[in-house]
Amino acid sequence: MSSPYTETAAPCVLGAPLTLDPVPDGTGGCSAELELDPGWPIFAEHFPGRPMLPGSLTAHLMATVAAAVPGAEPGPRPASLRGVRFQAPLVPPARIRVTAAPDPAHGDTVRCLVLLLGPAGDTVAARGEVVRHG
């Protein structure tokens, strides 16, 4: 069975997309949603019989959305992650929302959340900060 995500020209790793299309949220931040497709080959690798989105890919998605926050243009050094906490596994099939908002107290910091969207409410799956280096 073929997944539409494995036949795309967009950058991906084992079928999971590495890019998102963040949209402004009206508060100075951005968000993007992604449907976790159980057909992505990455889920056969991580972990066989108990698939979940790897933490490294989750952190990458956070950094990707944070880069779309106004004023988050990359500096000469790459951004770094700080205080990333994984609070719930991201198991397919599922829909997630990645949000990023500037930290008003620290102009170089963007706060990120990864939410697992569900009919009974959203669950925080991961949180952390992306620190921009100028």
Side-chain angles (χ1 to χ4, degrees), residues 15 21 29 37 60 66 76 81 89-90 108 116 123 127:
D21 294 318
D37 183 337
H60 173 81
L81 297 169
L90 295 170
D108 64 344
L116 181 59
T123 302
R127 67 175 69 236

Side-chain angles (χ1 to χ4, degrees), residues 100-132:
D103 181 341
H106 303 94
D108 64 344
T109 302
V110 177
R111 293 181 181 172
C112 298
L113 286 176
V114 179
L115 302 170
L116 181 59
L117 307 180
D122 302 339
T123 302
V124 176
R127 67 175 69 236
E129 298 176 334
V130 175
V131 180
R132 302 177 291 224

Side-chain angles (χ1 to χ4, degrees), residues 27-133:
T27 66
C30 293
S31 67
E33 292 189 8
L34 179 65
E35 193 76 36
L36 301 183
D37 183 337
W40 292 345
I42 198 165
F43 292 126
E45 300 289 327
H46 193 275
F47 294 98
R50 294 193 60 186
M52 69 178 71
L53 196 67
S56 57
L57 185 52
T58 303
H60 173 81
L61 295 174
M62 291 167 60
T64 298
V65 175
V69 170
E73 292 77 20
R77 297 184 318 160
S80 60
L81 297 169
R82 178 173 59 203
V84 175
R85 302 286 183 263
F86 300 101
Q87 298 174 245
L90 295 170
V91 177
R95 185 156 190 83
I96 65 170
R97 178 180 302 126
V98 183
T99 67
D103 181 341
H106 303 94
D108 64 344
T109 302
V110 177
R111 293 181 181 172
C112 298
L113 286 176
V114 179
L115 302 170
L116 181 59
L117 307 180
D122 302 339
T123 302
V124 176
R127 67 175 69 236
E129 298 176 334
V130 175
V131 180
R132 302 177 291 224
H133 302 287

Side-chain angles (χ1 to χ4, degrees), residues 9-30:
C12 66
V13 59
L14 291 174
L18 291 177
T19 59
L20 295 172
D21 294 318
V23 294
D25 65 7
T27 66
C30 293

